[in-house]
Amino acid sequence: MKLISSTKKEKCRYDLKMEISGEVFMNEVNAVYKKQVKSISIPGFRKGKAPRSIIEREYGEGVFYEDALKNLYPVAITECAKEAGLALVRDKVDIDVEKADKDGVIFTATVTVEPEVSIENYKGITYKPMSLEITDEDVEAEVQKLRERNSRLVTVEGRAAENGDIAVIDFKGILDGEAFEGGTSENYNLTLGSGSFIPGFEDQIIGHNAGEEFTIDVTFPEDYQADNLKGKAVQFEIKLHELKKKELPEFDDDFVKESSEFDTVDSYKADIRKNLEEARQKEAASDKENQVAEKLKELMNAEIPEVMYENQVDNLVDEFEMSLRAQGIDLATYMQYTGLTDEKLHETYYDRAVSQVNVRLALKKIAELEGIKATDEDVENKFKELAETYKVDINRVKAAFPAEDIASDLDVGKALELVVDAAVAEE
């Protein structure tokens, strides 16, 4: 593969003129022949046994050229773009073949590449530090969560429903005198005041007693997901079977001994504080990174092709789909259940994609300016780390993650560390 010329056409679009030697081209033509000959019948020869010369005489000398070229294009384009110092972006490639014969191939590929980036003043970025203070209220909130986890439900007697109670109800929704789909349930446990039902529903149960049957009037919101119920005034027939409430345990030494590895309230609270401090420090570090990243986007100058954002949206959707599969749900079913469209799913991830692409381009440029470059040892260690994380053989990891991509990720990570370390806290 040989690069003849590299010419910029427009924003991030280049014409790469390349040459493939006759030897390489003919070797690929022969490989295509060996693969396809099994399905070719020529009179006078058993199926799959016709010599290449006979097939070419029958169907034309270039019968295998097109498939051979399809196989060679990606390798030639990748190698020549690298030689030209261009980073390819996944996009439509336009091909114009000047010649293709036994003496070789000359063709031009119009490709999309990453933009030229400029950035200055990335050292000394200011950020607003997050407070690391852990208050007594923070500790008490964690204590309350523990009590909540160890609570038990008890039946409420001798009073009407109050905010915070769990009401066990049957309900049936009525629209224009008919029960509507999805509006009926029996023995449903509804926490009053949780806001899990449409506005006005829970409020109208408060004040009623167990055993009562009554009707409430509510109006569905204009933006409700079911079109037939948007903005509609309906009635719900309610039967209140039972009222329950959470009973929280006393938080004392005995409770601490039963529910933790500690013996006293004080030692347990001290551990809570320690864990909260560690979590807050991690949160503060992440917040600092986010603030720095936001300012990097403002400092960077580049004409970024839209396709880079679209590609990143696709990556984020793929990640979301994998997370759903891990839960035993496929994307099509999820979208049908939630009423999500392809367009809305795209919109959901677009802003995040734009941010990620912009920050990565800024950091790649910083890595270049600072001479940050991952070593072969760095890349190999990362492969080992991934193999341990995914519990697979390292060769499978190397097959799934190109070393070049791993090296780029490491460069970006080191560039981020440099910028974050050089950031200055606002007073």
Side-chain angles (χ1 to χ4, degrees):
M1 315 294 177
K2 177 184 175 183
L3 175 66
I4 297 174
S5 64
S6 169
T7 308
K8 186 174 182 178
K9 287 188 65 178
E10 54 191 77
K11 181 180 78 170
C12 297
R13 291 284 282 179
Y14 276 75
D15 281 343
L16 297 179
K17 189 172 184 178
M18 294 160 273
E19 181 178 8
I20 301 173
S21 70
E23 180 184 1
V24 170
F25 183 47
M26 286 299 104
N27 284 341
E28 188 60 36
V29 168
N30 198 49
V32 171
Y33 155 72
K34 289 180 179 179
K35 184 176 181 180
Q36 295 184 0
V37 67
K38 300 173 185 178
S39 60
I40 298 176
S41 296
I42 297 290
F45 296 90
R46 284 184 297 163
K47 185 175 181 180
K49 297 298 181 180
R52 178 179 143 192
S53 59
I54 299 299
I55 297 173
E56 290 176 337
R57 188 173 66 192
E58 182 74 17
Y59 293 102
E61 184 180 359
V63 62
F64 300 116
Y65 282 12
E66 183 177 354
D67 288 332
L69 286 170
K70 285 181 180 178
N71 293 341
L72 290 171
Y73 286 149
V75 178
I77 292 170
T78 300
E79 289 186 3
C80 290
K82 188 174 182 180
E83 184 180 342
L86 300 173
L88 292 173
V89 171
R90 187 172 75 247
D91 193 11
K92 177 186 176 184
V93 177
D94 297 322
I95 301 290
D96 180 28
V97 180
E98 186 175 318
K99 81 154 197 164
D101 54 33
K102 61 184 177 58
D103 295 323
V105 181
I106 294 178
F107 74 100
T108 298
T110 304
V111 299
T112 302
V113 302
E114 290 187 5
E116 296 178 5
V117 176
S118 64
I119 187 168
E120 297 177 346
N121 303 319
Y122 52 83
K123 291 181 179 177
I125 290 175
T126 59
Y127 71 98
K128 186 175 181 179
M130 177 184 288
S131 171
L132 298 178
E133 181 187 4
I134 300 299
T135 66
D136 292 342
E137 288 75 15
D138 294 329
V139 174
E140 289 303 323
E142 293 302 310
V143 168
Q144 186 65 13
K145 289 178 185 177
L146 178 67
R147 295 179 68 203
E148 290 278 353
R149 289 195 297 270
N150 287 273
S151 65
R152 65 189 185 97
L153 291 177
V154 296
T155 300
V156 173
E157 296 179 345
R159 67 165 174 81
E162 296 178 354
N163 211 28
D165 287 345
I166 297 172
V168 183
I169 59 172
D170 296 343
F171 60 85
K172 180 167 70 173
I174 307 295
L175 174 63
D176 297 330
E178 300 288 338
F180 56 83
E181 184 178 356
T184 301
S185 184
E186 294 182 352
N187 294 311
Y188 187 91
N189 284 264
L190 174 62
T191 301
L192 304 179
S194 64
S196 54
F197 275 32
I198 60 173
F201 190 103
E202 297 166 24
D203 293 340
Q204 295 183 65
I205 294 176
I206 292 173
H208 288 280
N209 290 281
E212 285 188 42
E213 296 185 26
F214 50 95
T215 300
I216 63 175
D217 296 296
V218 293
T219 300
F220 279 92
E222 293 291 345
D223 59 352
Y224 194 69
Q225 59 190 19
D227 290 337
N228 64 315
L229 295 174
K230 288 181 178 179
K232 294 294 179 66
V234 301
Q235 290 185 321
F236 278 94
E237 296 176 354
I238 309 290
K239 183 173 183 179
L240 179 53
H241 290 291
E242 183 183 7
L243 290 172
K244 296 185 285 188
K245 68 174 181 179
K246 286 183 180 179
E247 187 175 80
L248 304 182
E250 289 295 322
F251 187 68
D252 53 22
D253 289 348
D254 289 337
F255 172 73
V256 167
K257 290 176 184 177
E258 292 176 3
S259 57
S260 75
E261 59 188 275
F262 299 96
D263 293 327
T264 65
V265 166
D266 288 342
S267 60
Y268 185 76
K269 284 187 174 182
D271 186 66
I272 289 177
R273 185 177 293 275
K274 174 176 170 291
N275 291 335
L276 288 176
E277 287 172 345
E278 291 174 355
R280 182 67 59 84
Q281 288 172 352
K282 291 179 181 178
E283 185 183 0
S286 177
D287 181 67
K288 179 182 177 182
E289 279 192 7
N290 291 336
Q291 290 186 54
V292 169
E294 284 298 314
K295 292 193 176 181
L296 279 179
K297 291 186 293 184
E298 299 171 6
L299 295 172
M300 178 190 69
N301 289 307
E303 290 185 290
I304 303 171
E306 181 65 23
V307 70
M308 291 189 72
Y309 299 141
E310 301 295 339
N311 288 344
Q312 185 60 15
V313 169
D314 292 340
N315 293 338
L316 293 173
V317 170
D318 288 344
E319 290 175 10
F320 177 61
E321 185 172 7
M322 285 191 292
S323 70
L324 287 177
R325 285 179 181 171
Q327 302 172 55
I329 307 169
D330 67 86
L331 181 59
T333 301
Y334 175 85
M335 291 177 69
Q336 182 179 9
Y337 179 76
T338 59
L340 198 61
T341 64
D342 287 334
E343 183 179 358
K344 285 186 177 179
L345 186 61
H346 178 280
E347 290 174 358
T348 299
Y349 288 106
Y350 185 78
D351 288 345
R352 191 191 310 177
V354 169
S355 179
Q356 290 177 347
V357 168
N358 290 358
V359 171
R360 186 175 180 85
L361 285 173
L363 290 171
K364 283 185 69 173
K365 185 62 179 180
I366 292 170
E368 177 190 325
L369 293 171
E370 295 290 334
I372 296 172
K373 192 167 182 62
T375 64
D376 291 342
E377 184 180 0
D378 292 332
V379 174
E380 186 66 22
N381 288 336
K382 187 62 179 180
F383 277 135
K384 291 177 182 177
E385 179 186 323
L386 290 170
E388 291 174 3
T389 299
Y390 292 108
K391 308 298 182 187
V392 296
D393 183 78
I394 193 169
N395 291 321
R396 287 184 61 188
V397 176
K398 290 181 177 181
F401 300 96
E404 201 170 82
D405 292 349
I406 294 294
S408 180
D409 289 343
L410 291 171
D411 293 346
V412 165
K414 290 180 180 179
L416 179 60
E417 287 179 15
L418 180 149
V419 176
V420 170
D421 288 345
V424 178
E426 294 178 3
E427 295 182 1

